[in-house]
Amino acid sequence: MSDPVDQILDEAASGKSIIKNRDILHFTYIPDTIQHRDDEQKQVTQSLLPILHQARPSNLLVYGKPGTGKTLVVKKVISKIQERVEKSKFPIKLVYTNSKEETTIYGLLVSFGRQLGLQETELPTSGLAISEVFKRLLNMISKKSLNAVFVVDEIDHLAQLISKNHKDILYQLTRANNRLEGGSLTLIGISNDLTFKEKLDPRVISSLGEEEIVFPTYNVEQLKKILHERVQQAFEPDVVEDPALNLCAAMAGGEHGDARRAIDLIRVAGEIAERGKSSVVTSVHVREATQKIEENKEQASLKSYPLHEKLVILAVIKATGASTGEIYQAYKALCKAVGRDALTQRRTTQMLGEIELSGIISGRLVHQGIHGRTKKYKLTISTEMVKKTFEQDLSLKDVV
DNA sequence: ATTCCACAGGAAACAGTGGTCC
DNA sequence: GGACCACTGTTTCCTGTGGAAT
């Protein structure tokens, strides 16, 4: 018997794989052309054209569901503009940040600052007032007469942060040009949520949405073409069966035309087929892939919860279909069992709400007349999955 | 028609941490 | 070293809710 590790390594080295280029099976892999997005590419380019003529373009808002290629298009246009203006020595600075990757407004501004070239000593990662951070950013732009273009991906998330902290940072960003002595600042917002503007200050809406571009979702036919192209480049010839490809497109098409999801599906299906030593990818593999992606998502999300949230989830299992009050009693008992102080009922309600948002549990508001109003929760995923995941947590081992 | 229950969930306050600035 | 700041997680306080019971 050969060594099991060697066996796998030998097989991989011999090039037996049905996948010949894995990189292509990632959404962010940018092909030369972004398919079915010609119109949008033209629109974005038109909007940013003034930069070429050394003028400040209008602030721009880009909308579209996840996986519609918004960010890819914006990044492509920007990098092309950058190529051209580099030659003309026009001092333009493009800065990209995803607000979801920053948990605070402070972090977001610091990320902008770093990309503008502000060092740790000039802009520390904490300790300053937000207004001070903002001032330092503007000083930098003024001093170097930069024409800065800030791209804020998932700007709806930023809008949410702002509504929590009551800071009008977006307003200040959109009106920064009035405060600048040299240089300029342009804001490009990218959003998944078409309705996020409703949460904003009307003054911000008017200056931020000077121009708007909407990315329509892909239809199943378009998804098929996108998949087909990637499959041709990524897999060996005739490996992916047509029904498998069609199923991927149909499934992703059913979920708001998400190309990211479609490409993910075919990648995971390919990996499953390969591990099963199959020479073709069939629709069975695609179905398995759907399930696997779903399970991975659930497990990752379960693992990421802090202890008290995990205890609340366990309490929902113990008191299944029960009201908040009963769940709270079960939770208190669990806390006692693991030797922790229980949090208040108010906090527990809040945690239940947060967990519900992630889709692991679902709640239903019930009016029971004189018995008051309550919310009844139940688990939406399998109990076994939760138990299996939580068993790995040492502090929970005894109560699972 | 009124009362009452068992909470939901918003708002504000607070404590603690980790930092800067002068 | 003290004033100040951002931020997170939590508690405290409070108002609102809709239908059964009275």
Side-chain angles (χ1 to χ4, degrees):
Chain A
M1 266 298 266
S2 63
D3 188 283
V5 178
D6 280 335
Q7 212 178 320
I8 294 174
L9 293 178
D10 285 348
E11 267 183 37
S14 71
K16 262 194 209 164
S17 172
I18 54 172
I19 306 174
K20 63 180 178 196
N21 189 342
R22 280 162 213 273
D23 286 348
I24 290 169
L25 292 177
H26 289 276
F27 180 66
T28 43
Y29 162 84
I30 305 177
D32 297 333
T33 53
I34 299 167
Q35 284 170 293
H36 311 295
R37 285 299 176 241
D38 287 359
D39 278 354
E40 289 75 19
Q41 292 189 56
K42 281 181 197 160
Q43 285 179 46
V44 175
T45 314
Q46 285 289 349
S47 304
L48 299 181
L49 206 54
I51 298 178
L52 272 189
H53 304 118
Q54 316 207 343
R56 191 186 79 84
S58 308
N59 292 323
L60 174 65
L61 261 183
V62 179
Y63 289 120
K65 295 269 185 211
T68 46
K70 320 175 280 296
T71 311
L72 293 186
V73 166
V74 170
K75 280 187 170 172
K76 176 184 167 184
V77 172
I78 283 175
S79 80
K80 291 234 172 193
I81 291 177
Q82 218 158 11
E83 271 171 34
R84 304 244 176 158
V85 291
E86 249 165 40
K87 287 173 202 150
S88 73
K89 298 213 185 318
F90 183 59
I92 180 169
K93 188 76 196 172
L94 287 151
V95 168
Y96 172 89
T97 305
N98 186 320
S99 11
K100 245 189 183 154
E101 283 159 20
E102 301 292 344
T103 49
T104 62
I105 294 167
Y106 198 110
L108 189 97
L109 290 178
V110 168
S111 158
F112 281 148
R114 290 282 175 277
Q115 293 180 67
L116 284 179
L118 283 164
Q119 302 299 314
E120 182 82 39
T121 45
E122 297 162 290
L123 186 66
T125 37
S126 61
L128 295 183
I130 293 216
S131 55
E132 179 60 30
V133 177
F134 197 66
K135 211 163 88 191
R136 290 184 188 191
L137 279 181
L138 295 189
N139 277 348
M140 181 73 178
I141 294 172
S142 281
K143 202 174 78 191
K144 298 209 167 170
S145 285
L146 292 173
N147 291 287
V149 181
F150 285 3
V151 182
V152 187
D153 208 345
E154 315 223 30
I155 197 168
D156 40 325
H157 197 255
L158 176 64
Q160 233 173 29
L161 278 180
I162 290 164
S163 69
K164 258 192 234 166
N165 291 300
H166 313 291
K167 292 270 167 18
D168 57 349
I169 199 71
L170 258 182
Y171 177 72
Q172 293 196 42
L173 269 175
T174 53
R175 303 292 168 98
N177 286 294
N178 304 337
R179 285 170 61 182
L180 286 170
E181 282 161 28
S184 71
L185 201 164
T186 305
L187 201 63
I188 302 180
I190 304 179
S191 170
N192 294 334
D193 179 5
L194 287 140
T195 61
F196 93 100
K197 280 205 303 189
E198 290 163 15
K199 295 175 206 154
L200 292 177
D201 186 329
R203 295 173 307 170
V204 175
I205 299 172
S206 68
S207 51
L208 181 61
E210 284 169 354
E211 278 203 56
E212 293 188 15
I213 296 170
V214 178
F215 279 57
T217 51
Y218 291 112
N219 60 35
V220 176
E221 279 310 308
Q222 290 173 326
L223 286 173
K224 264 189 214 169
K225 279 188 194 158
I226 292 171
L227 279 175
H228 187 71
E229 187 176 87
R230 295 231 182 176
V231 161
Q232 274 193 324
Q233 292 181 52
F235 287 88
E236 294 293 342
D238 300 325
V239 163
V240 179
E241 292 184 345
D242 278 349
L245 193 144
N246 292 344
L247 185 61
C248 273
M251 281 180 155
E255 288 175 41
H256 334 292
D258 187 343
R260 191 191 320 254
R261 164 104 177 142
I263 292 165
D264 244 12
L265 259 176
I266 202 76
R267 177 177 59 81
V268 176
E271 284 166 1
I272 290 174
E274 198 170 58
R275 263 175 231 159
K277 303 230 171 4
S278 166
S279 55
V280 285
V281 180
T282 66
S283 39
V284 176
H285 294 127
V286 175
R287 289 194 196 282
E288 268 181 58
T290 326
Q291 213 178 349
K292 190 166 177 237
I293 290 173
E294 212 46 52
E295 276 178 19
N296 283 350
K297 243 198 284 179
E298 286 165 0
Q299 267 186 344
S301 125
L302 281 171
K303 274 188 194 160
S304 67
Y305 282 117
L307 180 70
H308 282 284
E309 265 91 340
K310 285 181 181 163
L311 287 169
V312 170
I313 294 172
L314 284 175
V316 172
I317 295 177
K318 302 245 180 226
T320 188
S323 63
T324 315
E326 289 162 300
I327 290 170
Y328 185 57
Q329 294 308 320
Y331 158 77
K332 279 208 290 194
L334 284 169
C335 283
K336 209 172 165 190
V338 297
R340 298 296 183 113
D341 288 338
L343 303 176
T344 55
Q345 181 155 359
R346 175 71 191 89
R347 176 65 188 130
T348 313
T349 328
Q350 204 177 333
M351 285 193 281
L352 281 168
E354 285 160 13
I355 300 165
E356 188 187 1
L357 268 183
S358 77
I360 287 176
I361 59 172
S362 70
R364 189 169 54 93
L365 206 60
V366 185
H367 297 275
Q368 302 167 301
I370 199 156
H371 301 296
R373 184 174 76 137
T374 187
K375 217 167 166 181
K376 299 210 167 184
Y377 288 96
K378 63 173 188 231
L379 206 66
T380 57
I381 60 177
S382 85
T383 318
E384 279 64 43
M385 154 89 79
V386 178
K387 287 187 173 166
K388 210 173 75 190
T389 314
F390 284 176
E391 263 166 9
Q392 295 160 17
D393 193 325
L394 286 178
S395 48
L396 291 175
K397 232 172 100 187
D398 299 334
V399 290
V400 172

